[in-house]
């Protein structure tokens, strides 16, 4: 039997067909062009699904269902994208509209939730059932899996781990509040802090790695400079680890998961990120060593996590 | 059929027998005297349960089970108090020890969790299934009910909502971190802030209400002074509402519950607390009015919540 997993992104719609072992058998993508009426976006999505199932000779009765991961605030119960800033969508009945093309069940969830479920079913958290994932990108997405299933809140708009306070009144967050986890732990926040430090310290190697223009700063540069002994970059990284560590401690104190996962480009740092983080949270979690402190790991499936997770919604 | 609910407190062990309609039919208490060997504490507990069941002529086969709410970090799966600062207990096998006296199932959970379940089954959140509760006392306990059942984390030490950051690096918390929700929203924190304000502003009516000695400050005085037009007290209360509101926004952004409950002496303020709080969080929750924003209510069962909730563990 087969499942379809769809990663509905701002740029592309990625579709994969997944088997019972959570292997992606075939995949392809089409541009989202989200500025169009949503019916057209979802028609393209349906056509790609149909094309792939035909290519694989999958009969309708062999298709268990279709799952979609979407950015934004999702009403999973009713299959609606309540609000998505990326697409400019409000109250788009995705599963109903897509249901015009298929007879199988169709479900939708937030993309970070799907990525978390994908990593639990087939990736970095394969042997576990209780996981928190933070996607460290432009923003910070949150995914929660409890007892093997996505937890997205009782109503739409839950699991927004990036939009909980770290330092209330601090850096402005994209959500309008000041001092959210996102505003200190996103890749954007790391780059902002690295730029500030480089500007204030012309002697920092980060300036050289930026070729003299801090507009060229990326999330890799402060790690590289720190690795090469640059004290200023070292401080930026230490601060970043602290912010992220404290955010993780918050979520451990609430969920006490089996494992904490991180994803996003920053995860290319691997052990340089997860080893100090695991050490950091060991000291800070409530009840210290008297309670279970989870390991911090990097996600391993990349964007496949979203497809596999979405496929596992059904 | 009957259930026993036990509220194991630092001062007293309160025991109640609860019927199928979650009415407490009989209740009594004994002093905890927690400094004794735990076996003696639990023997007293067992004897009180036996005395009450005998008084009610309840036969062993009419007793569905016994539930216990305890402060501290609880390993519910194994029935163990992992760590309780109040009792000086570490790894006390409560359900096993109490099981020496009974044949029915015995379960244990954190006291704030039990209070939340009690309010969901029989109190302020009766018609709901997804609730966050904050107990605003000396510290801040957290209770989480998801889909009608307690969620206490995958491992012992979860649901510690009071020990998540509000203003990292801020006021020292009892857990050792700085800036936790507890260190800004507990009754202790309100009293601390009211004392500081009264000391810095001798003209504040709070000083009069304290009879000239800020050692007499309590959680009621700043509310009373603010009500009587004292601007300094008004600022203390506004700040407190903001701290509590921001903490609630964090938990709404994660759990998106049907309703948020508050308990503790501060709830005597009733609408003066919940109306401004409900208004505060309406503006601040992620996705604003595009997503569900829960009502903030005061718990209604007092300490009965703990007994009823504990009884509902079984």
């Amino acid at each position: 039997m087969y499942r379809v997993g769809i990663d509905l992104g701002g740029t592309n719609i990625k579709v994969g067909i997944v088997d019972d072992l959570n292997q992606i058998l075939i995949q392809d993508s089409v541009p989202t062009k989200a500025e169009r009426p949503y019916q057209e976006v979802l028609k393209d999505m349906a056509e790609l699904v149909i094309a792939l199932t035909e290519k694989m000779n999958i009969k309708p009765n062999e298709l268990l269902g279709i799952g979609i991961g979407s950015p934004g605030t999702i009403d999973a119960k009713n299959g609606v994208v309540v609000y998505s800033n990326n697409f400019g969508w409000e109250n788009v009945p995705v599963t109903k509209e897509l249901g015009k093309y298929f007879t199988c069940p169709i479900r939708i969830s937030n993309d970070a939730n799907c990525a978390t479920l994908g990593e639990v079913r087939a990736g970095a958290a394969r042997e576990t059932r209780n996981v928190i994932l933070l996607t460290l990108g432009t923003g910070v997405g949150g995914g929660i899996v409890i007892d093997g299933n996505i937890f997205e809140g009782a109503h739409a708009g839950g699991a927004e781990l990036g939009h909980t306070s770290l330092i209330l009144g601090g850096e402005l967050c994209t959500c309008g509040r000041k001092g959210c986890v996102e505003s200190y732990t996103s890749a954007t926040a790391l780059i902002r802090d690295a730029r500030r430090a480089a500007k204030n310290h012309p002697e920092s190697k980060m300036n050289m790695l930026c070729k003299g223009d801090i507009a060229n700063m990326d999330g890799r540069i402060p790690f590289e400079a720190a690795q090469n002994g640059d004290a200023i970059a070292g401080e930026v990284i230490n601060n970043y680890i602290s912010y992220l560590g404290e955010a993780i401690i918050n979520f451990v104190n609430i969920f006490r998961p089996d494992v904490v996962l991180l994803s996003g480009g920053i995860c290319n740092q691997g052990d340089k990120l997860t080893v100090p983080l695991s050490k950091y949270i060991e000291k800070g979690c409530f009840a210290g060593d008297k309670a279970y402190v989870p390991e911090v790991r990097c996600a391993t499936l990349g964007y496949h996590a979203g497809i596999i997770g979405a496929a596992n919604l059904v």
Side-chain angles (χ1 to χ4, degrees), chain A residues 1 34 50 77 86 123 132 135 194-195 208 211 214 235 293:
Chain A
M1 301 295 276
I50 292 165
K77 245 173 249 155
N86 301 39
I132 297 299
T135 64
R195 279 185 180 140
M208 198 190 64
K211 292 168 189 150
I214 56 170
E235 203 186 324
V293 178

Side-chain angles (χ1 to χ4, degrees), chain A residues 183-196:
Chain A
S183 64
Y184 286 94
T185 67
S186 64
T188 314
L190 173 61
I191 292 167
R192 175 200 66 215
D193 290 348
R195 279 185 180 140
R196 283 181 190 162

Side-chain angles (χ1 to χ4, degrees), chain A residues 48-127:
Chain A
L48 181 53
V49 172
I50 292 165
L52 291 181
T53 49
E54 284 179 355
K55 222 179 224 173
M56 294 286 293
N57 277 319
I58 295 170
K59 291 165 207 137
N61 66 348
E62 290 176 320
L63 194 59
L64 280 175
I66 300 170
I68 305 155
S70 167
T73 300
I74 312 297
D75 176 353
K77 245 173 249 155
N78 297 303
V80 171
V81 173
V82 175
Y83 180 69
S84 172
N85 196 29
N86 301 39
F87 303 147
W89 283 3
E90 253 189 80
N91 293 317
V92 171
V94 171
T95 61
K96 193 178 158 200
E97 182 65 25
L98 200 65
K100 292 179 180 169
Y101 303 90
F102 303 97
T103 54
C104 65
I106 303 174
R107 301 226 175 90
I108 187 167
S109 189
N110 176 275
D111 49 4
N113 290 336
C114 289
T116 314
L117 187 60
E119 295 288 343
V120 168
R121 296 288 166 92
R126 200 166 187 162
E127 77 287 15

Side-chain angles (χ1 to χ4, degrees), chain A residues 1-3 5 16-20 22-25 307-308 311:
Chain A
M1 301 295 276
Y2 306 93
R3 290 176 172 86
I17 297 182
V18 172
D19 68 10
D20 292 335
N22 283 313
Q23 302 289 321
I24 299 178
L25 304 176
I307 291 177
I308 296 172

